[in-house]
Amino acid sequence: QQPVQSPQAVILREGEDAVINCSSSKALYSVHWYRQKHGEAPVFLMILLKGGEQKGHEKISASFNEKKQQSSLYLTASQLSYSGTYFCGTEFQADYKLSFGAGTTVTVRA
Amino acid sequence: GAGVSQTPSNKVTEKGKYVELRCDPISGHTALYWYRQSLGQGPEFLIYFQGTGAADDSGLPNDRFFAVRPEGSVSTLKIQRTERGDSAVYLCASSSTGTGYNEQFFGPGTRLTVL
């Protein structure tokens, strides 16, 4: 079952902040965040595991609310390079299979 | 080090033809995944290999799709009797399952167009 991402799109000026949400109707084992630029491969940003462990880029932060089955990705002091489509991928059990949301398109303008 | 590579980068074929798409994972990664991405959508899971065996092929849409990984490294996704609805970007990813995390690293994809 595909997770639901919101918002679908967001436009920012450099230096502004944004939050992208990812919600699931099923209990989650882990949440993965990727950024994809047009015509390129998705790039791994962050993984959050049930129980609180996480691993990812230093400049990217995210949270995982196990009770709500929801994760949020925080873009802080956005830069032009943050532009792209952000996808969350959810894993319902430790079975390595990811279900991806439809994506959130982020545009950062100078 | 080298990332995941996929060949060809683009493939145009006619309806009814057979195609093979190749994926070369990151060296040492035991897990390999195939996904399909349609325009404006997130990647859709097709199949997952652990070593040489298909651990989960539940995402393959029908029996026209088949994938192999005979030596536990390179994988080939095979599509028989292609249909226009098969047109999409086919992404391959690999991961090292020994870390406890499952960061999947994606290749650039093969854009398949069925005319």
Side-chain angles (χ1 to χ4, degrees), chain A residues 7-66:
Chain A
Q8 288 185 330
V10 59
I11 299 174
L12 303 168
R13 291 204 176 274
E14 271 188 297
E16 291 183 338
D17 303 336
V19 180
I20 301 171
N21 297 306
C22 174
S23 298
S24 171
S25 58
K26 282 180 64 173
L28 296 174
Y29 173 77
S30 71
V31 180
H32 303 226
W33 286 96
Y34 289 82
R35 178 173 60 216
Q36 186 176 34
K37 294 184 182 281
H38 184 69
E40 298 181 9
V43 173
F44 171 77
L45 295 176
M46 169 79 72
I47 178 172
L48 302 102
L49 299 179
K50 181 179 175 180
E53 292 181 61
Q54 59 179 263
K55 181 179 179 183
H57 288 263
E58 292 179 2
K59 295 187 178 180
I60 299 286
S61 63
S63 63
F64 181 14
N65 186 322
E66 291 179 40

Side-chain angles (χ1 to χ4, degrees), chain A residues 2 29 32 34 36 39-42 44 47 49 53-55 87 91 95-102, chain B residues 33 35 37 40-45 48 50 56 58 91 97 99-108:
Chain A
Q2 202 177 19
Y29 173 77
H32 303 226
Y34 289 82
Q36 186 176 34
E40 298 181 9
F44 171 77
I47 178 172
L49 299 179
E53 292 181 61
Q54 59 179 263
K55 181 179 179 183
F87 293 100
E91 194 177 2
D95 62 0
Y96 305 107
K97 181 170 66 177
L98 296 180
S99 297
F100 284 92
Chain B
Y33 315 79
Y35 291 86
Q37 188 174 26
Q41 298 297 316
E44 174 193 6
F45 171 81
Y48 153 55
Q50 182 62 255
D56 187 335
S58 61
L91 295 167
T97 54
T99 66
Y101 296 92
N102 179 28
E103 309 106 290
Q104 296 184 21
F105 296 93
F106 282 83

Side-chain angles (χ1 to χ4, degrees), chain B residues 30-70:
Chain B
T30 56
L32 185 146
Y33 315 79
W34 284 99
Y35 291 86
R36 177 169 70 174
Q37 188 174 26
S38 299
L39 193 63
Q41 298 297 316
E44 174 193 6
F45 171 81
L46 296 176
I47 186 169
Y48 153 55
F49 286 91
Q50 182 62 255
T52 59
D56 187 335
D57 64 357
S58 61
L60 294 177
N62 51 59
D63 61 7
R64 295 187 297 106
F65 289 75
F66 189 72
V68 296
R69 194 185 185 200

Side-chain angles (χ1 to χ4, degrees), chain B residues 74-88:
Chain B
V74 171
S75 176
T76 304
L77 178 66
K78 307 180 181 192
I79 310 175
Q80 298 178 323
R81 305 184 303 281
T82 52
E83 299 177 358
R84 292 193 180 90
D86 298 336
S87 296

